[in-house]
Amino acid sequence: MQNTTDLKNTPLVDEHVNLKAKMAPFAGWNMPIQYEGIISEHLHTRQVASLFDICHMGEFYFKGDALSSGLDRIFSFSLNDIPMKRCRYGAILNEKGGIKDDLIVYRISLDEWMIVVNSATIEKDKKHIESHLKKGSEFKNLSGETAKLDLQGPLSRDIISKLIDPAAAKLKYYSFDYFDILGERNIISRTGYTGELGYELYISSGKVVELWRHLLKDKRVRPAGLGARDTLRLEMGYTLYGQDVDEETTPLEGNLERYLNFNKEFIGRDALFRQKEKGISKILIAFKAQSRRAPRHGYSILKDGKEIGIVTSGSFSPSISCGIGLGYVDIRHSKNGEAILIKSGPTEIEATICEKPFYKNTSIRLRMNRLF
Amino acid sequence: MKIPDNLLYTKEHEWVLINGKKAKMGITDFAQEHLGDVTYVEPPDDNKAVKQFEMVTTIESVKAASDVYAPLSGKVTQFNSSLEASPELINKSPYEDGWIALIELSDESEKKNLMNKSQYEEYVTKLSTRE
């Protein structure tokens, strides 16, 4: 196990300890895995609202001309195509088309963008971006001074409206704006990683303890850890960088082609064109187990006794009460409905390839017929 | 953390209640607390023969899968079938409703290898301070 003294703490570490969270290393950070229990935190997020400490993630700021600076060609989508005050999910790739990171870009103004990246890849991404930028633009890593809290769940809109600003309730899916957050003007976006209606709140690191306590004053809000964050994202079939996708996998193999814009130039595009022409041999699929038994990262995927792939993410699904997972399989055995066997030593789990998301009845798009 | 005084304990955090030739076993409060939410318990084969401290079944929680060891040698005569639909009984009631298996003992003298309440309490306290 990693020595805990080498781990970084978020500004909220004392809050977590006081809430008796179980802490564990994640991507070099000492993070809360659970407070009360993963399943109850998971269900509370699906039914009410949960607060997550996501201060470990990285934020970059860019000001300049996206095209002439060289920034745009680093991204799999066009930065100038993003409407003002909207967010876009996508990837940055290496020359071979492998995924260097998946991220969300915020269009602040005509010539300003915020780039939100995974915690483990902050330094790598910064180096990569800087190495492709020409002089004359402004690029800053704001990760140290920027904190982030995620408020997720069907009641999050009501809570944000009461506790922060009623105007924030008007935010549309994948849009953002600046609001007065405890006296500081900062960003709230309607984004998240749980599949529920939810918000990500950005605030300076020095004020995040105050914001955390402020949001928890509403008794409907409970803290949730990275354990529930993982089961929530997996039920939606969202990939986790470093586990489901990495530099050795391309967006075509990761089933992320819809986040690529082939009509523009980007690093890795030529390699992806070649891969498209040749055809991919493996693809990331979702599968559901016939029992409560959980598939785990690294288990083999078999078809008719022959190994056809490997599990990258797996867990028990608290919402649908069975094992679920993501994994790469031979493209010839990747159709929905295909029966597969998940195997590790003596453990054998019967499963079926299925569509994503695993859990469909979420509040993410604010369906009017929902109770909440 | 609860540690009842009528039970005997293993270093792997199983408990056993001995009644003559028969014994009931499960995992301790300490173990369930560390596992987190239990989501699955594998039913052992009928009449499975087990040796003391050898694996009898596997318990899965949201976080991980862990082996459960037999506190004493014998034959598994019954599995707590309530656990199939409600594995969370192990979290809610580790010493009662969340029992795992009944074992018909083959060698009662093996209980000398187990800890009593105060020994187990001391053992767990040591583990907790090391963390």
Side-chain angles (χ1 to χ4, degrees):
Chain A
M1 199 187 223
Q2 208 167 345
N3 189 339
T4 43
T5 54
D6 296 338
L7 295 171
K8 284 177 274 190
N9 282 317
T10 80
L12 293 165
V13 63
D14 292 340
E15 303 297 304
H16 303 318
V17 171
N18 288 338
L19 288 162
K20 300 198 165 52
K22 280 188 187 151
M23 307 292 288
F26 175 82
W29 292 78
N30 179 32
M31 295 300 287
I33 300 305
Q34 65 170 74
Y35 303 84
E36 195 186 307
I38 294 174
I39 293 181
S40 66
E41 290 161 32
H42 178 111
L43 298 176
H44 192 75
T45 314
R46 292 260 179 262
Q47 289 155 9
V48 189
S50 298
L51 188 63
F52 298 82
D53 173 5
I54 311 295
C55 294
H56 58 307
M57 283 184 71
E59 295 86 12
F60 301 147
Y61 170 84
F62 174 86
K63 185 175 169 68
D65 184 308
L67 285 173
S68 66
S69 65
L71 185 72
D72 189 70
R73 67 180 291 273
I74 301 168
F75 291 81
S76 70
F77 50 90
S78 162
L79 298 178
N80 284 320
D81 278 359
I82 310 172
M84 299 304 141
K85 304 285 171 64
R86 299 295 290 240
C87 312
R88 189 158 290 180
Y89 172 80
I92 54 179
L93 310 179
N94 60 31
E95 296 287 351
K96 293 186 305 190
I99 303 172
K100 284 193 88 76
D101 203 1
D102 68 338
L103 38 77
I104 295 184
V105 177
Y106 289 60
R107 182 83 185 264
I108 297 171
S109 71
L110 266 178
D111 65 348
E112 288 173 292
W113 290 262
M114 178 169 78
I115 304 157
V116 180
V117 303
N118 284 296
S119 56
T121 46
I122 295 174
E123 287 309 315
K124 179 182 88 169
D125 292 354
K126 179 175 170 278
K127 246 188 232 160
H128 177 68
I129 293 172
E130 282 174 341
S131 74
H132 287 91
L133 280 185
K134 298 187 183 88
K135 286 203 177 79
S137 54
E138 189 185 346
F139 177 75
K140 284 189 291 194
N141 176 11
L142 303 179
S143 307
E145 61 210 76
T146 311
K148 180 163 94 75
L149 297 181
D150 288 12
L151 182 71
Q152 303 274 304
L155 297 195
S156 59
R157 188 168 68 148
D158 187 52
I159 291 158
I160 223 107
S161 168
K162 285 209 174 79
L163 270 65
I164 308 287
D165 187 343
K170 294 198 182 73
L171 286 174
K172 294 202 167 62
Y173 185 56
Y174 260 63
S175 70
F176 73 94
D177 213 334
Y178 286 85
F179 297 93
D180 180 338
I181 309 174
L182 302 177
E184 179 181 303
R185 200 174 124 77
N186 219 324
I187 289 175
I188 299 177
S189 60
R190 203 178 128 198
T191 47
Y193 196 43
T194 61
E196 295 301 329
L197 169 66
Y199 302 86
E200 298 184 68
L201 295 89
Y202 295 85
I203 192 147
S204 58
S205 297
K207 285 203 80 134
V208 69
V209 172
E210 193 187 342
L211 179 59
W212 172 267
R213 290 180 181 168
H214 180 67
L215 291 167
L216 285 177
K217 268 184 219 150
D218 190 313
K219 287 301 155 211
R220 294 172 294 180
V221 181
R222 292 191 199 156
L226 292 188
R229 186 169 158 90
D230 194 51
T231 52
L232 288 158
R233 70 91 192 169
L234 187 56
E235 283 185 352
M236 300 310 293
Y238 298 156
T239 52
L240 173 61
Y241 188 79
Q243 191 166 309
D244 303 306
V245 290
D246 58 27
E247 298 232 19
E248 302 305 314
T249 53
T250 72
L252 303 179
E253 294 162 338
N255 212 345
L256 300 168
E257 191 174 347
R258 63 193 173 284
Y259 302 109
L260 305 172
N261 180 355
F262 281 109
N263 296 319
K264 60 155 284 211
E265 154 73 17
F266 61 85
I267 296 167
R269 184 176 69 156
D270 292 345
L272 294 184
F273 272 141
R274 286 195 295 275
Q275 194 179 42
K276 256 167 118 67
E277 213 169 293
K278 232 176 97 192
I280 50 172
S281 54
K282 61 170 184 181
I283 190 159
L284 191 70
I285 51 98
F287 60 87
K288 206 185 276 189
Q290 251 80 286
S291 72
R292 297 176 63 95
R293 194 131 218 208
R296 308 273 176 193
H297 178 82
Y299 284 14
S300 299
I301 303 177
L302 279 69
K303 174 81 190 172
D304 302 327
K306 224 183 91 216
E307 186 162 344
I308 58 158
I310 191 154
V311 175
T312 52
S313 282
S315 176
F316 172 76
S317 161
S319 301
I320 58 173
S321 297
C322 67
I324 57 171
L326 300 175
Y328 285 94
V329 295
D330 185 324
I331 188 91
R332 292 167 296 182
H333 299 288
S334 60
K335 282 193 202 69
N336 285 340
E338 191 125 15
I340 53 175
L341 185 73
I342 311 298
K343 193 169 160 59
S344 168
T347 302
E348 293 189 346
I349 309 167
E350 286 176 36
T352 310
I353 297 178
C354 65
E355 16 168 69
K356 294 185 281 190
F358 295 100
Y359 176 70
K360 295 180 177 71
N361 190 28
T362 75
S363 57
I364 193 162
R365 299 277 189 178
L366 274 179
R367 269 179 240 113
M368 296 312 285
N369 60 357
R370 258 184 83 103
L371 184 61
F372 292 120
Chain B
M1 185 186 39
K2 275 185 259 167
I3 305 177
D5 53 16
N6 58 334
L7 308 176
L8 294 174
Y9 301 91
T10 70
K11 285 188 172 171
E12 301 289 344
H13 308 284
E14 290 87 13
W15 58 262
V16 62
L17 175 66
I18 301 172
N19 184 2
K21 274 285 205 187
K22 293 209 161 122
K24 188 189 257 190
M25 69 159 293
I27 65 166
T28 65
D29 200 15
F30 178 87
Q32 72 77 20
E33 171 69 31
H34 271 70
L35 279 172
D37 295 324
V38 175
T39 54
Y40 177 82
V41 187
E42 185 175 30
D45 296 336
D46 286 342
N47 294 316
K48 177 181 177 146
V50 288
K51 283 217 173 90
Q52 188 175 36
F53 306 139
E54 283 188 1
M55 191 182 121
V56 56
T57 183
T58 304
I59 287 190
E60 293 190 3
S61 69
V62 181
K63 285 181 285 185
S66 322
D67 292 337
V68 177
Y69 302 94
L72 296 158
S73 306
K75 192 170 77 177
V76 178
T77 55
Q78 201 183 326
F79 170 67
N80 180 1
S81 56
S82 308
L83 297 177
E84 289 180 44
S86 307
E88 70 277 6
L89 287 174
I90 289 187
N91 299 113
K92 286 182 186 151
S93 173
Y95 298 113
E96 276 149 29
D97 298 342
W99 64 274
I100 294 172
L102 297 183
I103 298 174
E104 201 176 282
L105 303 181
S106 55
D107 182 1
E108 288 158 77
S109 73
E110 286 175 346
K111 63 184 179 190
K112 66 178 186 297
N113 304 327
L114 301 173
M115 290 177 271
N116 63 24
K117 176 199 162 88
S118 60
Q119 289 165 324
Y120 181 64
E121 202 161 31
E122 193 184 327
Y123 174 68
V124 165
T125 311
K126 259 189 211 150
L127 286 181
S128 305
T129 49
R130 208 190 299 156
E131 270 179 5

